[in-house]
């Protein structure tokens, strides 16, 4: 669904967001798909290829024993919450995630996600995977920024909000 709506405007926004990160976090499925694609791409003048192949990559998986041979890849297989919390404490830029819905849900549940950037496409899909499925409790978010691309895609940036009651008032109890 993503590619019919892709244009330079969206690409520039994604590259700007990626440029703030000095590491990527991904789940096994996403990692295996990208590791099969990006290393074979010609770097030439393509800053996306250079970024993807050069950035530090942290792969969260309970089934991989060691990451594939993609440059700068590290496996996180032990205590995921502890290891990711440790990554967040390190000096440097952001750690970004692209895709990896299961990992995003887990990070939200464990309070390890600082910001959530969503692209809402102007299409109704009647079936498929849900980003926020069962098992994730009610979690208030605060809209930080929104932007509408010329293709109709809406780019939303949220952060976890402080606890609020059912009337939208901050819960101070």
């Amino acid at each position: 669904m993503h590619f019919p709506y892709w244009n330079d405007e969206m690409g520039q926004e994604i590259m700007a967001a990626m440029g703030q990160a000095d590491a990527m976090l991904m789940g096994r499925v996403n990692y295996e798909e990208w590791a099969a694609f990006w290393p074979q791409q010609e770097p030439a003048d393509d800053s996306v290829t250079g970024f993807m192949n050069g950035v530090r990559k942290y792969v969260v998986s309970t089934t991989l024993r060691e990451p594939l041979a993609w440059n700068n890849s590290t496996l996180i297989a032990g205590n995921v919450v502890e290891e990711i919390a440790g990554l967040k404490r390190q000096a440097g830029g952001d750690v970004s995630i692209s895709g990896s819905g299961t990992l995003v849900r887990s990070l939200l549940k464990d309070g390890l996600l600082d910001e959530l950037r969503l692209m809402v496409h102007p299409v109704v899909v009647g079936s498929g995977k849900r980003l926020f499925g069962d098992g994730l409790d009610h979690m208030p978010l605060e809209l930080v920024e929104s932007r509408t691309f010329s293709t109709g895609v809406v780019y939303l940036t949220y952060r976890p909000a402080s606890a609020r009651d059912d009337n939208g008032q901050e819960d101070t109890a």
Side-chain angles (χ1 to χ4, degrees):
M1 293 297 150
H2 186 66
F3 291 108
Y5 299 95
W6 182 266
N7 65 10
D8 288 342
E9 178 185 30
M10 188 183 295
Q12 289 170 357
E13 190 70 32
I14 290 171
M15 282 307 300
M18 288 173 66
Q20 296 173 355
D22 63 4
M24 289 192 70
L25 185 63
M26 58 185 75
R28 178 193 55 83
V29 173
N30 195 23
Y31 176 79
E32 288 178 337
E33 289 173 358
W34 288 11
F37 176 79
W38 286 109
Q40 282 70 43
Q41 303 310 302
E42 292 294 325
D45 294 329
D46 185 353
S47 59
V48 176
T49 301
F51 174 83
M52 294 302 293
N53 287 324
V55 72
R56 290 180 296 133
K57 293 165 273 295
Y58 295 95
V59 184
V60 176
S61 176
T62 57
T63 57
L64 280 178
R65 294 298 162 235
E66 60 182 70
L68 305 174
W70 193 12
N71 189 35
N72 297 326
S73 297
T74 301
L75 178 64
I76 296 177
N79 185 326
V80 173
V81 172
E82 257 182 42
E83 290 193 47
I84 293 175
L87 281 177
K88 289 180 59 158
R89 287 190 297 271
Q90 291 179 5
D94 294 342
V95 177
S96 70
I97 303 171
S98 182
S100 301
T102 302
L103 180 56
V104 168
R105 283 189 298 276
S106 175
L107 295 173
L108 274 170
K109 186 180 80 170
D110 293 327
L112 292 170
L113 199 67
D114 298 325
E115 192 171 84
L116 184 62
R117 296 180 184 186
L118 301 172
M119 289 190 177
V120 180
H121 291 64
V123 63
V124 174
V125 179
S127 63
K129 289 184 179 182
R130 292 174 47 197
L131 178 56
F132 307 110
D134 296 335
L136 188 62
D137 292 335
H138 175 83
M139 176 173 290
L141 300 172
E142 172 186 356
L143 181 63
V144 176
E145 183 180 358
S146 66
R147 180 169 177 207
T148 304
F149 297 123
S150 60
T151 59
V153 173
V154 180
Y155 187 51
L156 304 165
T157 303
Y158 288 99
R159 289 192 185 126
S162 60
R164 298 190 182 275
D165 64 18
D166 291 334
N167 297 319
Q169 301 297 313
E170 191 166 336
D171 185 1
T172 57

